[in-house]
Amino acid sequence: MILTTLKGVITGLILSLPFGPVGIYCMEKTMIEGQKKGYISALGMVTIDIFYGLIALLFITNVEDFIVKYESWLQILVAIFLLFIGWKKFEKREKIKKIECTPSGMIKDYFTTFFLALANISGIFTILVIFTTLQVHSEEPSIVAPFIATGIFLGGATEWFITTYIIANFTKVLHEERLIKISQISGGIIFAFGILILAKCILKIL
């Protein structure tokens, strides 16, 4: 099962490439609030990668109709959330303060990205493509599942630890005004993602 776990690691690495609105959000969180908060936020997304990976492996035939039926409505919720987060960050003007990593704050960071990623249910199809490419299949998927889940976690958690570490150390040499500007630019990008997703969903429904 070492090979199966390795395939899970590769899947986790691919899914955790820091692109897309949630990835940008985690990177911006790291730049402004430090590695710990950025990494905790990223783990919320990794958790959903594991969850959707298991669904793709075990139950895809049972949920495919549900995904097709409700995907657009779920993506509208994602778009609205992205618009809210993007606008809030874009218009933010206050100075950066020392961040305290309280348990409640870290839980909030984790579940923000958790629910953002959860609503992106079409991600299951992306995982299916990866599984097909890597030939992840078995007559006993329930036996394979724990090894795939472990691999996805190891790949995603490792990649985001390295990513947040590099970003956190890079931003130490930046001035506060530049960090605030980066935060506003990130907010603008997230807001743009929200508009694109919302427009795509509305056109699809119409």
Side-chain angles (χ1 to χ4, degrees), residues 61-122:
T61 55
N62 297 322
V63 300
E64 188 169 358
D65 291 340
F66 176 85
I67 294 171
V68 172
K69 187 175 181 180
Y70 295 106
E71 177 187 357
S72 294
W73 296 106
L74 289 169
Q75 287 191 336
I76 286 175
L77 292 177
V78 173
I80 293 172
F81 197 27
L82 290 175
L83 289 172
F84 173 75
I85 292 176
W87 179 256
K88 189 175 179 181
K89 289 184 176 296
F90 182 74
E91 70 168 0
K92 196 173 183 179
R93 294 292 189 272
E94 69 265 28
K95 291 184 176 295
I96 296 173
K97 303 172 185 177
K98 184 178 180 180
I99 303 299
E100 294 184 4
C101 294
T102 62
S104 61
M106 288 189 287
I107 290 172
K108 179 183 176 183
D109 293 333
Y110 174 86
F111 279 106
T112 296
T113 50
F114 179 93
F115 286 113
L116 261 177
L118 179 64
N120 185 28
I121 198 168
S122 59

Side-chain angles (χ1 to χ4, degrees), residues 1 4 54 57-59 137-149:
M1 291 298 178
T4 301
L54 293 177
L57 188 65
L58 301 173
F59 308 114
H137 54 76
S138 174
E139 294 180 359
E140 296 293 337
S142 59
I143 297 176
V144 173
F147 298 95
I148 287 294

Side-chain angles (χ1 to χ4, degrees), residues 4-200:
T4 301
T5 305
L6 180 59
K7 290 179 179 180
V9 170
I10 295 172
T11 302
L13 290 171
I14 295 172
L15 293 173
S16 291
L17 290 172
F19 302 117
V22 184
I24 291 172
Y25 174 82
C26 292
M27 290 190 290
E28 188 270 344
K29 174 76 73 172
T30 303
M31 280 189 270
I32 303 303
E33 301 186 30
Q35 183 186 7
K36 186 178 290 186
K37 292 180 76 67
Y39 186 59
I40 291 295
S41 297
L43 288 182
M45 181 169 51
V46 173
T47 303
I48 295 302
D49 289 340
I50 296 170
F51 177 62
Y52 281 163
L54 293 177
I55 290 178
L57 188 65
L58 301 173
F59 308 114
I60 187 60
T61 55
N62 297 322
V63 300
E64 188 169 358
D65 291 340
F66 176 85
I67 294 171
V68 172
K69 187 175 181 180
Y70 295 106
E71 177 187 357
S72 294
W73 296 106
L74 289 169
Q75 287 191 336
I76 286 175
L77 292 177
V78 173
I80 293 172
F81 197 27
L82 290 175
L83 289 172
F84 173 75
I85 292 176
W87 179 256
K88 189 175 179 181
K89 289 184 176 296
F90 182 74
E91 70 168 0
K92 196 173 183 179
R93 294 292 189 272
E94 69 265 28
K95 291 184 176 295
I96 296 173
K97 303 172 185 177
K98 184 178 180 180
I99 303 299
E100 294 184 4
C101 294
T102 62
S104 61
M106 288 189 287
I107 290 172
K108 179 183 176 183
D109 293 333
Y110 174 86
F111 279 106
T112 296
T113 50
F114 179 93
F115 286 113
L116 261 177
L118 179 64
N120 185 28
I121 198 168
S122 59
I124 294 178
F125 290 128
T126 303
I127 295 173
L128 273 176
V129 172
I130 297 172
F131 282 177
T132 301
T133 304
L134 296 177
Q135 297 183 337
V136 177
H137 54 76
S138 174
E139 294 180 359
E140 296 293 337
S142 59
I143 297 176
V144 173
F147 298 95
I148 287 294
T150 300
I152 292 175
F153 173 76
L154 290 174
T158 301
E159 181 168 324
W160 272 109
F161 180 84
I162 294 172
T163 300
T164 54
Y165 178 83
I166 292 173
I167 292 173
N169 281 275
F170 170 73
T171 53
K172 287 179 180 179
V173 301
L174 297 178
H175 297 295
E176 184 177 295
E177 289 183 5
R178 187 164 293 179
L179 284 174
I180 294 174
K181 191 68 177 178
I182 290 173
S183 177
Q184 292 171 341
I185 292 172
S186 299
I189 294 172
I190 292 171
F191 190 84
F193 268 110
I195 292 176
L196 289 174
I197 294 171
L198 187 60
K200 180 182 176 183

